[in-house]
mmCIF file of all heavy atoms in Angstrom:
data_model
loop_
_atom_site.group_PDB
_atom_site.id
_atom_site.type_symbol
_atom_site.label_atom_id
_atom_site.label_comp_id
_atom_site.label_asym_id
_atom_site.label_seq_id
_atom_site.Cartn_x
_atom_site.Cartn_y
_atom_site.Cartn_z
ATOM 1 N N GLY J 1364 6.901 -9.899 -8.320
ATOM 2 C CA GLY J 1364 6.616 -8.538 -8.710
ATOM 3 C C GLY J 1364 5.139 -8.185 -8.801
ATOM 4 O O GLY J 1364 4.734 -7.316 -9.579
ATOM 5 N N PHE J 1365 4.318 -8.854 -8.006
ATOM 6 C CA PHE J 1365 2.893 -8.658 -8.087
ATOM 7 C C PHE J 1365 2.216 -8.897 -6.741
ATOM 8 O O PHE J 1365 1.536 -9.903 -6.551
ATOM 9 C CB PHE J 1365 2.256 -9.519 -9.195
ATOM 10 C CG PHE J 1365 0.880 -9.103 -9.592
ATOM 11 C CD1 PHE J 1365 0.669 -7.953 -10.301
ATOM 12 C CD2 PHE J 1365 -0.207 -9.902 -9.256
ATOM 13 C CE1 PHE J 1365 -0.614 -7.555 -10.738
ATOM 14 C CE2 PHE J 1365 -1.517 -9.503 -9.615
ATOM 15 C CZ PHE J 1365 -1.683 -8.348 -10.364
ATOM 16 N N GLY J 1366 2.451 -7.963 -5.811
ATOM 17 C CA GLY J 1366 1.895 -8.104 -4.478
ATOM 18 C C GLY J 1366 0.484 -7.559 -4.423
ATOM 19 O O GLY J 1366 -0.123 -7.235 -5.454
ATOM 20 N N THR J 1367 -0.093 -7.498 -3.225
ATOM 21 C CA THR J 1367 -1.492 -7.150 -3.009
ATOM 22 C C THR J 1367 -1.803 -5.769 -3.627
ATOM 23 O O THR J 1367 -2.921 -5.652 -4.187
ATOM 24 C CB THR J 1367 -1.815 -7.093 -1.512
ATOM 25 O OG1 THR J 1367 -1.462 -8.393 -0.943
ATOM 26 C CG2 THR J 1367 -3.281 -6.862 -1.226
ATOM 27 N N ALA J 1368 -0.927 -4.759 -3.470
ATOM 28 C CA ALA J 1368 -1.291 -3.444 -3.992
ATOM 29 C C ALA J 1368 -1.325 -3.389 -5.510
ATOM 30 O O ALA J 1368 -2.141 -2.725 -6.105
ATOM 31 C CB ALA J 1368 -0.195 -2.404 -3.554
ATOM 32 N N CYS J 1369 -0.546 -4.254 -6.168
ATOM 33 C CA CYS J 1369 -0.642 -4.385 -7.635
ATOM 34 C C CYS J 1369 -1.939 -5.093 -8.016
ATOM 35 O O CYS J 1369 -2.665 -4.671 -8.914
ATOM 36 C CB CYS J 1369 0.519 -5.194 -8.237
ATOM 37 S SG CYS J 1369 2.190 -4.486 -7.983
ATOM 38 N N HIS J 1370 -2.229 -6.198 -7.366
ATOM 39 C CA HIS J 1370 -3.410 -6.979 -7.642
ATOM 40 C C HIS J 1370 -4.658 -6.147 -7.439
ATOM 41 O O HIS J 1370 -5.526 -6.110 -8.356
ATOM 42 C CB HIS J 1370 -3.447 -8.174 -6.642
ATOM 43 C CG HIS J 1370 -4.102 -9.372 -7.110
ATOM 44 N ND1 HIS J 1370 -3.533 -10.644 -7.129
ATOM 45 C CD2 HIS J 1370 -5.356 -9.564 -7.641
ATOM 46 C CE1 HIS J 1370 -4.426 -11.521 -7.602
ATOM 47 N NE2 HIS J 1370 -5.506 -10.892 -7.903
ATOM 48 N N LEU J 1371 -4.799 -5.450 -6.350
ATOM 49 C CA LEU J 1371 -5.963 -4.601 -6.101
ATOM 50 C C LEU J 1371 -6.033 -3.438 -7.124
ATOM 51 O O LEU J 1371 -7.102 -3.109 -7.617
ATOM 52 C CB LEU J 1371 -5.916 -4.040 -4.701
ATOM 53 C CG LEU J 1371 -7.129 -3.233 -4.237
ATOM 54 C CD1 LEU J 1371 -8.396 -4.112 -4.202
ATOM 55 C CD2 LEU J 1371 -6.931 -2.621 -2.899
ATOM 56 N N GLY J 1372 -4.913 -2.872 -7.461
ATOM 57 C CA GLY J 1372 -4.851 -1.821 -8.431
ATOM 58 C C GLY J 1372 -5.331 -2.229 -9.791
ATOM 59 O O GLY J 1372 -6.200 -1.530 -10.425
ATOM 60 N N VAL J 1373 -4.863 -3.363 -10.247
ATOM 61 C CA VAL J 1373 -5.263 -3.849 -11.623
ATOM 62 C C VAL J 1373 -6.748 -4.169 -11.619
ATOM 63 O O VAL J 1373 -7.502 -3.824 -12.538
ATOM 64 C CB VAL J 1373 -4.427 -5.091 -11.965
ATOM 65 C CG1 VAL J 1373 -5.033 -5.764 -13.246
ATOM 66 C CG2 VAL J 1373 -3.017 -4.639 -12.291
ATOM 67 N N LEU J 1374 -7.283 -4.775 -10.538
ATOM 68 C CA LEU J 1374 -8.708 -5.166 -10.526
ATOM 69 C C LEU J 1374 -9.656 -4.007 -10.380
ATOM 70 O O LEU J 1374 -10.768 -4.080 -10.821
ATOM 71 C CB LEU J 1374 -8.965 -6.251 -9.452
ATOM 72 C CG LEU J 1374 -8.321 -7.614 -9.684
ATOM 73 C CD1 LEU J 1374 -8.744 -8.596 -8.587
ATOM 74 C CD2 LEU J 1374 -8.545 -8.202 -11.079
ATOM 75 N N THR J 1375 -9.240 -2.971 -9.633
ATOM 76 C CA THR J 1375 -10.144 -1.765 -9.446
ATOM 77 C C THR J 1375 -9.843 -0.676 -10.413
ATOM 78 O O THR J 1375 -10.574 0.287 -10.574
ATOM 79 C CB THR J 1375 -9.975 -1.231 -7.977
ATOM 80 O OG1 THR J 1375 -8.592 -0.817 -7.829
ATOM 81 C CG2 THR J 1375 -10.374 -2.241 -6.954
ATOM 82 N N ASP J 1376 -8.656 -0.732 -11.067
ATOM 83 C CA ASP J 1376 -8.093 0.287 -11.932
ATOM 84 C C ASP J 1376 -7.924 1.646 -11.236
ATOM 85 O O ASP J 1376 -8.048 2.708 -11.822
ATOM 86 C CB ASP J 1376 -8.983 0.499 -13.222
ATOM 87 C CG ASP J 1376 -8.221 1.181 -14.298
ATOM 88 O OD1 ASP J 1376 -6.989 0.988 -14.407
ATOM 89 O OD2 ASP J 1376 -8.808 1.967 -15.058
ATOM 90 N N LEU J 1377 -7.630 1.528 -9.915
ATOM 91 C CA LEU J 1377 -7.286 2.738 -9.176
ATOM 92 C C LEU J 1377 -5.798 2.772 -8.931
ATOM 93 O O LEU J 1377 -5.149 1.800 -8.745
ATOM 94 C CB LEU J 1377 -8.015 2.736 -7.789
ATOM 95 C CG LEU J 1377 -9.545 2.876 -7.747
ATOM 96 C CD1 LEU J 1377 -10.076 2.572 -6.373
ATOM 97 C CD2 LEU J 1377 -9.927 4.315 -8.230
ATOM 98 N N PRO J 1378 -5.202 4.032 -8.871
ATOM 99 C CA PRO J 1378 -3.821 4.121 -8.429
ATOM 100 C C PRO J 1378 -3.714 3.526 -7.039
ATOM 101 O O PRO J 1378 -4.450 3.774 -6.145
ATOM 102 C CB PRO J 1378 -3.578 5.624 -8.415
ATOM 103 C CG PRO J 1378 -4.484 6.221 -9.398
ATOM 104 C CD PRO J 1378 -5.742 5.311 -9.286
ATOM 105 N N CYS J 1379 -2.678 2.663 -6.847
ATOM 106 C CA CYS J 1379 -2.413 1.948 -5.563
ATOM 107 C C CYS J 1379 -0.997 2.044 -5.175
ATOM 108 O O CYS J 1379 -0.099 1.988 -6.042
ATOM 109 C CB CYS J 1379 -2.902 0.479 -5.678
ATOM 110 S SG CYS J 1379 -4.647 0.197 -5.526
ATOM 111 N N ILE J 1380 -0.760 2.119 -3.846
ATOM 112 C CA ILE J 1380 0.608 2.169 -3.288
ATOM 113 C C ILE J 1380 0.714 1.122 -2.209
ATOM 114 O O ILE J 1380 -0.159 1.038 -1.320
ATOM 115 C CB ILE J 1380 0.876 3.539 -2.699
ATOM 116 C CG1 ILE J 1380 0.821 4.587 -3.804
ATOM 117 C CG2 ILE J 1380 2.258 3.564 -2.003
ATOM 118 C CD1 ILE J 1380 0.854 6.022 -3.250
ATOM 119 N N GLY J 1381 1.755 0.317 -2.226
ATOM 120 C CA GLY J 1381 2.008 -0.679 -1.201
ATOM 121 C C GLY J 1381 2.765 -0.038 -0.034
ATOM 122 O O GLY J 1381 3.809 0.637 -0.332
ATOM 123 N N VAL J 1382 2.290 -0.172 1.238
ATOM 124 C CA VAL J 1382 2.950 0.351 2.380
ATOM 125 C C VAL J 1382 3.069 -0.766 3.380
ATOM 126 O O VAL J 1382 2.058 -1.181 3.994
ATOM 127 C CB VAL J 1382 2.143 1.525 2.995
ATOM 128 C CG1 VAL J 1382 2.904 2.148 4.158
ATOM 129 C CG2 VAL J 1382 1.822 2.560 1.943
ATOM 130 N N ALA J 1383 4.277 -1.305 3.571
ATOM 131 C CA ALA J 1383 4.528 -2.442 4.449
ATOM 132 C C ALA J 1383 5.321 -2.002 5.673
ATOM 133 O O ALA J 1383 6.139 -1.092 5.586
ATOM 134 C CB ALA J 1383 5.202 -3.584 3.700
ATOM 135 N N LYS J 1384 5.046 -2.705 6.777
ATOM 136 C CA LYS J 1384 5.758 -2.391 8.011
ATOM 137 C C LYS J 1384 7.061 -3.142 8.147
ATOM 138 O O LYS J 1384 7.931 -2.836 8.930
ATOM 139 C CB LYS J 1384 4.823 -2.659 9.210
ATOM 140 C CG LYS J 1384 3.590 -1.683 9.190
ATOM 141 C CD LYS J 1384 2.721 -1.889 10.445
ATOM 142 C CE LYS J 1384 1.761 -3.049 10.376
ATOM 143 N NZ LYS J 1384 0.684 -2.883 9.337
ATOM 144 N N ASN J 1385 7.121 -4.270 7.427
ATOM 145 C CA ASN J 1385 8.307 -5.153 7.532
ATOM 146 C C ASN J 1385 8.901 -5.420 6.117
ATOM 147 O O ASN J 1385 8.146 -5.440 5.155
ATOM 148 C CB ASN J 1385 7.948 -6.453 8.249
ATOM 149 C CG ASN J 1385 7.452 -6.229 9.616
ATOM 150 O OD1 ASN J 1385 8.171 -5.740 10.471
ATOM 151 N ND2 ASN J 1385 6.199 -6.567 9.880
ATOM 152 N N LEU J 1386 10.193 -5.713 6.057
ATOM 153 C CA LEU J 1386 10.830 -6.030 4.828
ATOM 154 C C LEU J 1386 10.539 -7.449 4.362
ATOM 155 O O LEU J 1386 10.760 -8.403 5.077
ATOM 156 C CB LEU J 1386 12.341 -5.834 4.945
ATOM 157 C CG LEU J 1386 13.149 -6.155 3.727
ATOM 158 C CD1 LEU J 1386 12.807 -5.279 2.501
ATOM 159 C CD2 LEU J 1386 14.680 -6.129 4.023
ATOM 160 N N LEU J 1387 10.022 -7.592 3.119
ATOM 161 C CA LEU J 1387 9.810 -8.890 2.511
ATOM 162 C C LEU J 1387 11.141 -9.311 1.945
ATOM 163 O O LEU J 1387 11.747 -8.578 1.166
ATOM 164 C CB LEU J 1387 8.765 -8.792 1.508
ATOM 165 C CG LEU J 1387 8.180 -10.121 0.913
ATOM 166 C CD1 LEU J 1387 7.479 -10.866 1.992
ATOM 167 C CD2 LEU J 1387 7.237 -9.817 -0.211
ATOM 168 N N HIS J 1388 11.591 -10.535 2.225
ATOM 169 C CA HIS J 1388 12.881 -10.976 1.775
ATOM 170 C C HIS J 1388 12.752 -11.572 0.390
ATOM 171 O O HIS J 1388 12.441 -12.744 0.210
ATOM 172 C CB HIS J 1388 13.471 -12.045 2.755
ATOM 173 C CG HIS J 1388 13.845 -11.461 4.070
ATOM 174 N ND1 HIS J 1388 14.565 -12.135 5.038
ATOM 175 C CD2 HIS J 1388 13.623 -10.204 4.582
ATOM 176 C CE1 HIS J 1388 14.754 -11.381 6.086
ATOM 177 N NE2 HIS J 1388 14.167 -10.221 5.850
ATOM 178 N N VAL J 1389 12.989 -10.685 -0.631
ATOM 179 C CA VAL J 1389 12.954 -11.131 -2.039
ATOM 180 C C VAL J 1389 14.102 -10.568 -2.777
ATOM 181 O O VAL J 1389 14.685 -9.579 -2.401
ATOM 182 C CB VAL J 1389 11.577 -10.661 -2.655
ATOM 183 C CG1 VAL J 1389 10.384 -11.253 -2.015
ATOM 184 C CG2 VAL J 1389 11.527 -9.131 -2.722
ATOM 185 N N ASP J 1390 14.468 -11.260 -3.845
ATOM 186 C CA ASP J 1390 15.523 -10.754 -4.765
ATOM 187 C C ASP J 1390 16.799 -10.368 -4.006
ATOM 188 O O ASP J 1390 17.413 -9.360 -4.278
ATOM 189 C CB ASP J 1390 15.005 -9.587 -5.584
ATOM 190 C CG ASP J 1390 15.879 -9.247 -6.824
ATOM 191 O OD1 ASP J 1390 16.785 -10.064 -7.117
ATOM 192 O OD2 ASP J 1390 15.701 -8.201 -7.407
ATOM 193 N N GLY J 1391 17.169 -11.170 -3.032
ATOM 194 C CA GLY J 1391 18.379 -10.959 -2.277
ATOM 195 C C GLY J 1391 18.313 -9.933 -1.165
ATOM 196 O O GLY J 1391 19.252 -9.634 -0.465
ATOM 197 N N LEU J 1392 17.121 -9.295 -1.043
ATOM 198 C CA LEU J 1392 16.920 -8.274 0.054
ATOM 199 C C LEU J 1392 16.769 -9.010 1.374
ATOM 200 O O LEU J 1392 15.939 -9.922 1.560
ATOM 201 C CB LEU J 1392 15.727 -7.441 -0.176
ATOM 202 C CG LEU J 1392 15.717 -6.555 -1.463
ATOM 203 C CD1 LEU J 1392 14.360 -5.909 -1.641
ATOM 204 C CD2 LEU J 1392 16.802 -5.462 -1.347
ATOM 205 N N VAL J 1393 17.571 -8.639 2.355
ATOM 206 C CA VAL J 1393 17.494 -9.256 3.725
ATOM 207 C C VAL J 1393 17.656 -8.165 4.794
ATOM 208 O O VAL J 1393 18.314 -7.134 4.569
ATOM 209 C CB VAL J 1393 18.511 -10.389 3.930
ATOM 210 C CG1 VAL J 1393 18.147 -11.660 3.206
ATOM 211 C CG2 VAL J 1393 19.945 -9.884 3.527
ATOM 212 N N ARG J 1394 17.123 -8.478 5.934
ATOM 213 C CA ARG J 1394 17.253 -7.488 7.053
ATOM 214 C C ARG J 1394 18.491 -7.844 7.845
ATOM 215 O O ARG J 1394 18.443 -8.281 8.960
ATOM 216 C CB ARG J 1394 15.973 -7.572 7.926
ATOM 217 C CG ARG J 1394 15.729 -6.352 8.734
ATOM 218 C CD ARG J 1394 14.298 -6.323 9.306
ATOM 219 N NE ARG J 1394 14.281 -5.535 10.495
ATOM 220 C CZ ARG J 1394 14.501 -6.090 11.698
ATOM 221 N NH1 ARG J 1394 14.705 -7.383 11.834
ATOM 222 N NH2 ARG J 1394 14.493 -5.331 12.803
ATOM 223 N N ASP J 1395 19.648 -7.669 7.190
ATOM 224 C CA ASP J 1395 20.932 -7.974 7.839
ATOM 225 C C ASP J 1395 21.493 -6.728 8.458
ATOM 226 O O ASP J 1395 20.877 -5.682 8.483
ATOM 227 C CB ASP J 1395 21.863 -8.580 6.783
ATOM 228 C CG ASP J 1395 22.137 -7.658 5.602
ATOM 229 O OD1 ASP J 1395 21.661 -6.494 5.610
ATOM 230 O OD2 ASP J 1395 22.763 -8.080 4.614
#
Side-chain angles (χ1 to χ4, degrees):
F1365 194 71
T1367 304
C1369 297
H1370 207 128
L1371 184 63
V1373 169
L1374 293 187
T1375 60
D1376 200 32
L1377 290 172
C1379 278
I1380 298 169
V1382 184
K1384 296 184 277 291
N1385 298 297
L1386 175 64
L1387 192 63
H1388 292 191
V1389 297
D1390 194 12
L1392 296 172
V1393 284
R1394 203 165 151 270
D1395 57 9

